[in-house]
């Protein structure tokens, strides 16, 4: 056993995930310290989403294990919240914004029990936080992409978890939503939460995050952005398909090419 | 084997072959259930044409029914295009409605002629040899054989002539449109073929078993090959086998021929699911078992490679460690280690494992690819 | 038939009352549970289940020699359930897609059912009479104890649905998220499929295997047009289904040689058409009017600024 102190939110050991006989993740070792705001970065097909799903127990694991706060997921499920990709559900489903957000409380409610006033209040408060309070009664098909994303964030907020896992929350959202999400991520971090985000846009990594994991089927590197988000390591992550646009205010601006 | 027995089987084989050809494209285009919709909906075309001609043998019945088939397809599309109903629901709304109207019309007005719903739904191949084409006193053979033979020839001719277009539209409709072929036209042509085949076939096997013969043999072929021409050929062969096998099963049980044909088609599909070389469940299970060792050895190599220079190398490289960290069973871990040792990927020194150069190369290749 | 006379018959004519009640129950149960099938893009699963039920009915009779409704319904349910399981299994383990798998299971099970039916028919004791009513359904053969069986099974299915309302909603909207909350999604999926199987076999005797799927799809498709709330949609679909059932039964009693099953389907289809055109917000008619008004307004505005 490796030491997993309380300071480690998620500890991943020798994690291998394969679909049929093709490995998607090879022997990944990763410690995510509690309280970081971390981006997972890597080219398409690098296994970023799979990594998050493996942490959540959504995909079968060939080998290795994931521990959350030192314990198996089943024991601490309520401490983990998940924001899936926006496109993973049918937005024409007949339900309201408030109803979707309340789904975040279903786990705490357990079997059979229905959400009541307390869940409703929590959901409204979460909607307020993402600036969607006025939309509570809306049918979800009437939302823009950015608004859909904020509804999903609110649903994760009402889970009142310690660890938040988000799959591409910035994908195809408007500027307002992007600002809201960034503000929210920072709020979560100052509240001591751990936030892990699958992220596509390399340029915003140093601005939005303090921790980064570079992934390409195997772990390339993980650590503070200053130490890990370097041209050398990025080149190793993306192979040749990357162009550097130069440095500005100490940060690194990079554009991933080749379909990344 | 008596002459009628031979003729029944011949008709069954021709029906199966005629169904398998357009069925192949339905399966590939994920429109299998259009055959279900069309084969039910054409009843109303037959009924209406019958009311006009009052002759069950009139060729107008085939024309009317084929038209209804195409109308069904466009109704489904129309409903889907309103944006208020999904395609699967649209299919499920249109054909029961048309079928219901036809059943009501038959019950109300056609009860005294022998156009009954049972026959339409179930078909009765056993009677086919009694309805013969007699020209100037010469008995040329069963009428069903001529009709289905003509439909088979039509299907083969259209698919032969427009093979390239059908293939392109099936695999890349966007490209087909860009190259100037109209996918919609090809689509409707295929649906017309499905309709006319269903009309001809359902006299013999009934509307629901048309679905069996259109979908099951091509799906069986789909499990056996990746090449379209081969899939077409195999689909015809499997259909023919289901036809002949079904005939003798029915003979043995003294039961419905059409039902038996569908049963055999289902059995052949089930057999292909299990036994297909390369893709069958058994082949996959065996390959997985073999790959499991291969995979585990690669995993072991990568694991050792990752921890080679790390400070915890000594700890990570112990056999017992594989149990706790990789979550391998002790016996499985021992097996993998032994196999990897035999292949020269690792060296074992008591409880400690070290990666050989060959093992390191394997790990790097796996990670690079 | 005059309206007062009709109500009188509906209340006091034993046959019509039984048939109408049976049709109302089947319409309500299949409409309610069909909502989930339609929302989960499994509209045609109902078609596969109902066709797959046929060999179950024949086999149940062959094994027990009984024609008691409960025995036949159990046989139908077992076969329908097996058919669904096979569809899922084929899709999961082979390259054959959902639509082909449905088509194969539907037609092959039906074929096996035909073989069994004709086999039973030709046995010396020839007692199959009454089994072929499952093909097209014969509402007129419904007896009071059939209706009691239907009501008990359907009621049980609806109660189960209400009990697991929150879980089934989660399963239908976002199963992956539900799984991260710790709900056993696979088990819930099996539960919902079982409920759909019950809904379908409850109606087979009245409507028959060929048309039963329409009563799974049509009430739900109609109800979807009127509301954006799952609860309202499910309740409306149940009501539409019951309405279609009763009106179909009444219409078919109004003249000779009007089969009940197809008439129920006709009524349900009429409700769909009505809903598609006239439902507020989503209705095609309102939409067209709105567009026309907007266009006119644009034209007026356009003329102001040449």
């Amino acid at each position: 056993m490796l030491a997993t102190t309380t300071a480690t939110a998620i500890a991943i050991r020798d994690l291998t995930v394969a679909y049929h006989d093709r490995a998607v993740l090879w022997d990944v070792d990763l410690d995510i310290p509690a309280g970081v705001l971390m981006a997972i970065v890597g080219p398409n097909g690098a296994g970023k989403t799979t990594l998050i799903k493996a942490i959540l127990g959504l995909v079968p694991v060939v080998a290795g294990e994931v521990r959350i706060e030192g314990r198996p997921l089943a024991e601490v499920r309520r401490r983990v919240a998940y924001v899936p990709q926006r496109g993973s559900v049918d937005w024409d489903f007949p339900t309201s914004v408030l109803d979707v957000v309340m789904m975040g409380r279903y786990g705490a409610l357990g079997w059979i029990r229905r959400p009541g006033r307390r869940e409703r209040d929590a959901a409204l408060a979460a909607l307020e936080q993402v600036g969607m309070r006025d939309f509570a009664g809306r049918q979800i098909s009437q939302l823009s992409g950015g608004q859909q994303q904020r509804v999903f964030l609110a649903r994760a907020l009402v889970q009142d978890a310690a660890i938040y896992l988000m799959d591409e929350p910035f994908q195809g959202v408007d500027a307002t939503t992007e600002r809201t999400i960034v503000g929210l991520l920072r709020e979560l971090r100052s509240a001591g939460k751990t936030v892990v985000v699958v992220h596509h846009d390399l340029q915003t990594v140093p601005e939005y995050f303090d921790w980064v994991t570079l992934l390409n089927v195997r772990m390339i590197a993980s650590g503070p952005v200053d130490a890990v988000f370097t041209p050398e390591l990025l080149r190793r992550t993306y192979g040749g398909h990357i162009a550097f646009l130069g440095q500005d205010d100490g940060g690194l601006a990079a554009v991933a090419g080749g379909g990344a | 084997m008596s002459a009628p027995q031979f003729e029944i089987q011949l008709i069954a084989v021709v029906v199966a072959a005629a169904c398998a050809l357009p069925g192949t494209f339905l399966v590939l285009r994920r429109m299998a259930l259009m055959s279900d919709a069309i084969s039910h909906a054409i009843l109303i075309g037959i009924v209406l044409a019958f009311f006009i001609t009052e002759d069950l043998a009139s060729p107008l019945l085939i024309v009317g029914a084929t038209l209804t088939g195409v109308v069904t397809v466009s109704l489904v599309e129309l409903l889907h295009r309103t944006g208020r109903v999904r395609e699967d629901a649209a299919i499920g709304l249109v054909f029961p409605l048309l079928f219901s109207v036809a059943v009501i019309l038959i019950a109300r007005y056609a009860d005294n002629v022998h156009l009954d719903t049972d026959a339409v739904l179930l078909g009765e191949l056993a009677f086919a040899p009694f309805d013969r084409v007699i020209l100037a006193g010469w008995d040329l053979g069963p009428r069903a054989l001529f009709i289905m033979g003509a439909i088979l020839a039509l299907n083969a001719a259209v698919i032969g002539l427009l093979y390239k277009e059908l293939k392109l539209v099936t695999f890349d409709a966007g490209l087909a449109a860009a190259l100037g072929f109209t996918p919609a036209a090809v689509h409707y042509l295929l649906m017309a073929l499905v309709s006319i085949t269903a009309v001809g076939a359902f006299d013999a096997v009934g509307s629901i078993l048309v679905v069996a013969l259109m979908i099951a043999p091509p799906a069986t072929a789909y499990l056996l090959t990746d090449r379209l021409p081969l899939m077409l050929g195999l689909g015809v062969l499997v259909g023919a086998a289901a036809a002949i096998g079904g005939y003798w099963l029915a003979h043995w049980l003294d039961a419905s021929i059409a039902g038996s044909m569908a049963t055999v088609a289902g059995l052949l599909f089930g057999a292909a699911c299990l036994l297909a070389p390369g893709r069958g469940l058994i082949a996959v299970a065996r390959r997985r078992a073999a790959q499991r060792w291969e995979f585990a050895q690669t995993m072991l190599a990568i694991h050792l490679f990752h921890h080679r220079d790390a400070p915890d190398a000594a700890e990570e490289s112990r056999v017992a460690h594989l149990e706790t960290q990789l979550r391998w069973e002790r016996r499985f871990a021992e097996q993998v280690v032994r196999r990897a040792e035999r292949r020269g990927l690792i060296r074992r020194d008591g409880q400690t494992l070290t990666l050989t150069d060959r093992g390191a190369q394997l790990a790097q290749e796996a990670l690079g690819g | 038939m005059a309206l007062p006379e009709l109500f009188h018959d509906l209340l006091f004519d034993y046959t019509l009352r039984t048939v109408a009640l049976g049709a109302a129950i089947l319409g309500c149960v299949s409409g309610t549970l069909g909502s989930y099938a339609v929302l989960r893009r499994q509209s045609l699963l109902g078609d596969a289940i109902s066709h797959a039920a046929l060999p179950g009915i024949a086999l149940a009779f062959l094994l027990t020699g009984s024609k008691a409704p409960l025995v036949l319904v159990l046989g139908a349910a077992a076969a329908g359930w097996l058919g669904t399981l096979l569809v899922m299994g084929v899709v999961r383990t082979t390259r054959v897609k959902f639509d082909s798998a449905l088509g194969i299971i539907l037609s092959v099970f039906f074929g096996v059912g035909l073989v069994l039916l004709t086999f039973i028919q030709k046995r010396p004791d020839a007692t199959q009479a009454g089994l072929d009513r499952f093909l097209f359904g014969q509402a007129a053969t419904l007896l009071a104890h059939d209706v009691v069986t239907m009501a008990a099974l359907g009621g049980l299915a609806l109660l189960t649905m209400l009990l697991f309302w929150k879980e089934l909603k989660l399963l239908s909207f976002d199963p992956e998220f539900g799984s991260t909350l710790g709900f056993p999604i696979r088990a819930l999926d099996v539960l919902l499929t079982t409920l759909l199987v019950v809904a379908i076999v409850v109606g087979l005797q009245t409507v028959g295997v060929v048309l039963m799927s329409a009563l799974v799809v049509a009430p739900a498709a109609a109800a979807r047009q009127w509301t954006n709330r799952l609860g309202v949609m499910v309740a409306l679909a149940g009501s539409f289904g019951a309405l279609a059932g009763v009106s179909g039964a009444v219409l078919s009693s109004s003249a000779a040689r009007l089969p009940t099953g197809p008439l129920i389907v006709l009524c349900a289809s009429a409700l769909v058409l009505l809903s598609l055109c006239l439902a507020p917000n989503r209705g095609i008619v309102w939409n067209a009017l709105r567009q026309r008004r907007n266009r006119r307004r644009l034209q007026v505005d356009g003329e102001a600024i040449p």
Side-chain angles (χ1 to χ4, degrees):
Chain A
M1 260 334 306
L2 266 106
T4 38
T5 60
T6 42
T8 305
I10 302 172
I12 299 170
R13 287 284 164 276
D14 303 313
L15 180 75
T16 296
V17 179
Y19 292 124
H20 303 306
D21 42 293
R22 211 174 62 80
V24 186
L25 289 175
W26 265 127
D27 202 49
V28 169
D29 282 304
L30 173 63
D31 279 316
I32 304 174
V36 296
L37 181 45
M38 185 183 100
I40 302 177
V41 169
N44 280 337
K48 303 184 294 286
T49 296
T50 306
L51 180 61
I52 281 201
K53 289 192 173 177
I55 295 172
L56 288 160
L58 292 174
V59 291
V61 161
V62 180
E65 66 168 345
V66 176
R67 287 195 160 242
I68 292 169
E69 298 178 335
R71 289 146 78 184
L73 174 70
E75 289 174 20
V76 285
R77 223 177 250 291
R78 287 239 204 99
R79 302 200 36 92
V80 185
Y82 172 45
V83 180
Q85 279 183 21
R86 203 153 41 81
S88 64
V89 302
D90 168 22
W91 288 97
D92 197 34
F93 196 86
T95 191
S96 68
V97 167
L98 184 67
D99 224 30
V100 171
V101 177
M102 278 199 289
M103 285 179 189
R105 299 301 304 162
Y106 283 11
L109 278 170
W111 287 95
I112 318 280
R113 268 180 57 206
R114 301 285 175 85
R117 150 144 279 152
R118 196 139 45 100
E119 283 70 31
R120 208 186 134 80
D121 291 345
L124 286 172
L127 280 171
E128 182 81 61
Q129 246 183 302
V130 297
M132 293 276 294
R133 174 71 199 246
D134 297 342
F135 291 80
R138 278 289 176 93
Q139 142 75 5
I140 54 172
S141 65
Q142 298 163 0
L143 302 178
S144 71
Q147 289 167 335
Q148 292 174 350
Q149 191 65 59
R150 283 190 266 166
V151 170
F152 264 10
L153 280 166
R155 184 175 70 173
L157 287 178
V158 298
Q159 287 185 265
D160 195 24
I163 299 168
Y164 288 80
L165 301 170
M166 307 185 181
D167 200 349
E168 305 225 15
F170 294 105
Q171 179 81 359
V173 300
D174 52 286
T176 320
T177 304
E178 180 142 355
R179 269 197 305 280
T180 312
I181 299 177
V182 172
L184 202 65
L185 294 180
R186 290 186 177 142
E187 255 173 68
L188 286 170
R189 186 184 45 188
S190 26
K193 316 280 189 187
T194 311
V195 186
V196 176
V197 179
V198 170
H199 196 58
H200 239 124
D201 180 16
L202 289 179
Q203 295 186 65
T204 50
V205 168
E207 189 191 337
Y208 293 173
F209 300 96
D210 55 24
W211 207 267
V212 68
T213 289
L214 302 178
L215 189 74
N216 189 358
V217 183
R218 67 205 153 106
M219 270 285 301
I220 308 295
S222 180
V225 171
D226 300 338
V228 171
F229 203 66
T230 62
E232 161 57 20
L233 284 171
L234 280 171
R235 207 168 277 124
R236 270 179 58 195
T237 311
Y238 283 86
H241 312 290
I242 195 162
F244 294 97
L245 300 180
Q247 319 271 125
D248 51 304
D249 27 292
L252 174 78
V255 180
Chain B
M1 194 165 27
S2 67
Q5 278 186 328
F6 175 75
E7 281 175 0
I8 290 173
Q9 287 178 67
L10 190 62
I11 296 170
V13 167
V14 173
V15 169
C19 285
L21 290 179
T24 301
F25 291 96
L26 287 180
V27 167
L28 287 174
R29 305 187 64 194
R30 304 186 185 191
M31 292 179 165
L33 290 166
M34 274 300 186
S35 67
D36 191 26
I38 289 176
S39 70
H40 281 90
I42 49 180
L43 181 59
I44 195 166
I46 293 182
V47 172
L48 292 177
F50 173 72
F51 283 157
I52 297 170
T53 61
E54 303 212 326
D55 173 16
L56 266 179
S58 162
L60 206 65
L61 261 62
I62 293 189
V63 177
T66 308
L67 276 178
T68 340
V70 177
V71 167
T72 308
V73 176
S74 38
L75 275 180
V76 168
E77 252 163 47
L78 189 73
L79 207 52
H80 177 50
R81 266 212 215 116
T82 62
R84 286 156 178 84
V85 181
R86 294 226 186 77
E87 191 172 18
D88 60 328
I91 295 177
L93 287 170
V94 169
F95 84 82
L97 171 63
L98 295 177
F99 191 74
S100 293
V101 173
V103 171
I104 292 172
L105 286 177
I106 292 175
R108 284 295 281 171
Y109 306 109
D111 232 13
N112 39 1
V113 290
H114 60 265
L115 180 69
D116 67 308
T117 37
D118 271 26
V120 165
L121 202 61
L122 314 179
E124 201 31 277
L125 202 52
F127 300 142
F130 301 121
D131 184 6
R132 308 193 75 84
V133 177
I134 293 166
L135 205 65
W138 285 81
D139 180 359
L140 297 177
R143 211 168 72 90
L145 191 59
F146 278 91
I147 295 176
M148 284 318 295
I151 291 175
L152 173 61
L154 176 73
N155 285 349
V158 172
I159 290 174
L161 277 173
L162 295 176
Y163 179 76
K164 179 175 88 256
E165 286 80 1
L166 274 167
K167 188 172 166 179
L168 195 59
V169 169
T170 300
F171 292 106
D172 191 345
L175 179 63
L179 291 178
F181 303 107
T182 24
V186 179
H187 172 65
Y188 272 94
L189 186 69
L190 179 66
M191 290 303 152
L193 286 189
V194 171
S195 302
I196 198 168
T197 311
V199 179
F202 98 171
D203 215 21
V205 295
S207 59
I208 292 167
L209 302 164
V210 169
V211 180
L213 289 180
M214 275 201 188
I215 306 307
T220 309
Y222 186 50
L223 290 170
L224 297 172
T225 177
D226 276 329
R227 297 188 43 229
L228 182 55
L230 218 56
M231 188 176 158
L232 281 164
L234 275 173
V236 169
L237 275 183
V238 172
I244 293 172
Y247 175 79
W248 289 104
L249 179 69
H251 187 74
W252 177 56
L253 288 173
D254 192 14
S256 151
I257 298 177
S260 306
M261 281 166 62
T263 307
V264 175
L267 289 176
L268 290 174
F269 175 74
C273 280
L274 288 178
L275 303 173
R279 222 172 265 115
L281 293 182
I282 292 175
V284 168
R286 285 172 86 170
R287 196 172 55 232
R288 292 254 168 89
Q291 273 166 351
R292 189 162 155 251
W293 295 114
E294 190 84 6
F295 194 85
Q297 287 172 44
T298 314
M299 210 153 77
L300 177 63
I302 289 175
H303 181 72
L304 294 175
F305 182 73
H306 270 173
H307 296 282
R308 203 158 52 160
D309 309 317
D312 56 353
E315 174 62 29
E316 293 278 343
S317 313
R318 295 174 67 82
V319 180
H321 174 87
L322 302 176
E323 282 169 59
T324 52
Q325 290 302 306
L326 294 177
R327 290 276 150 141
W328 283 354
E329 300 259 333
R330 170 173 286 269
R331 275 180 46 205
F332 181 72
E334 288 285 349
Q335 271 272 9
V336 174
V337 167
R338 225 171 303 136
R339 282 171 191 245
E341 218 183 337
R342 220 179 303 147
R343 264 176 70 192
L345 299 175
I346 57 167
R347 263 192 312 275
R348 183 177 184 164
D349 185 18
Q351 272 294 300
T352 312
L353 308 173
T354 35
L355 200 59
T356 62
D357 289 345
R358 206 155 142 215
Q361 199 186 338
L362 176 74
Q364 272 170 312
E365 272 167 17
L367 288 173
Chain C
M1 202 180 337
L3 216 53
E5 199 184 325
L6 192 106
F7 277 115
H8 181 271
D9 283 359
L10 207 51
L11 288 175
F12 299 109
D13 181 298
Y14 174 79
T15 315
L16 180 58
R17 200 178 55 196
T18 314
V19 171
L21 199 60
I25 292 171
L26 88 88
C28 177
V29 177
S30 59
T32 308
L33 290 163
S35 303
Y36 292 98
V38 168
L39 289 175
R40 301 175 74 209
R41 304 180 188 221
Q42 296 180 337
S43 294
L44 293 165
L45 192 60
D47 206 23
I49 292 174
S50 60
H51 283 80
L54 190 63
I57 294 167
L59 213 56
F61 172 71
L62 210 56
L63 291 178
T64 64
S66 155
K67 267 187 283 182
L70 196 62
V71 171
L72 299 186
V73 160
L74 283 180
W81 208 74
L82 178 70
T84 319
L85 228 59
L86 281 177
V87 170
M88 304 294 180
V90 165
V91 172
R92 223 186 16 249
T93 56
T94 73
R95 70 201 298 220
V96 174
K97 308 298 182 301
F98 185 61
D99 63 315
S100 295
L102 270 185
I104 291 171
I105 296 299
L106 173 161
S107 56
V108 170
F109 268 61
F110 187 83
V112 174
L114 271 190
V115 169
L116 290 174
L117 278 187
T118 44
F119 178 73
I120 293 170
Q121 206 165 29
K122 281 168 185 160
R123 285 200 324 174
D125 48 337
T127 48
Q128 65 84 41
L131 283 190
D132 55 359
R133 68 166 183 262
F134 283 99
L135 283 181
F136 288 104
Q138 260 171 29
T141 63
L142 275 182
L143 299 172
H145 69 274
D146 293 324
V147 175
V148 171
T149 311
M150 288 167 70
L153 282 172
L156 203 64
L158 292 188
L159 272 180
T160 314
M161 177 199 80
L162 286 177
L163 197 61
F164 294 103
W165 177 263
K166 160 173 120 265
E167 287 77 11
L168 294 179
K169 188 204 272 185
L170 197 56
L171 167 74
S172 309
F173 177 63
D174 195 348
E176 202 164 61
F177 181 73
S179 175
T180 68
L181 293 180
F183 291 102
I185 288 304
R186 196 57 87 65
L188 284 171
D189 197 0
V190 171
L191 174 73
L192 189 53
T193 306
T194 310
L195 295 182
L196 187 63
V197 169
V198 172
I200 285 168
V201 297
V202 156
L204 284 184
Q205 189 186 346
T206 313
V207 182
V209 302
V210 183
L211 291 174
M212 192 54 216
S213 70
L215 292 179
V216 171
V217 183
R224 179 67 188 93
Q225 312 307 321
W226 297 86
T227 175
N228 281 323
R229 293 285 183 277
L230 181 64
V232 182
M233 174 180 168
V234 168
L236 260 184
S239 317
F240 284 163
L243 181 63
V246 173
S247 6
V250 168
L251 279 177
S252 104
S253 77
S254 68
R257 295 192 305 185
L258 275 178
T260 316
L263 274 173
I264 297 178
V265 173
L266 229 57
C267 292
S269 304
L271 283 172
V272 174
L273 199 64
L274 223 68
S275 306
L276 278 176
C277 293
L278 296 178
N281 290 326
R282 283 170 75 108
I284 291 168
V285 172
W286 308 134
N287 241 8
L289 282 178
R290 221 173 299 145
Q291 270 178 13
R292 217 158 106 194
R293 211 177 309 134
N294 286 347
R295 209 172 302 137
R296 200 165 302 152
R297 197 171 304 145
L298 273 178
Q299 272 171 359
V300 173
D301 290 352
E303 278 159 22
I305 314 156

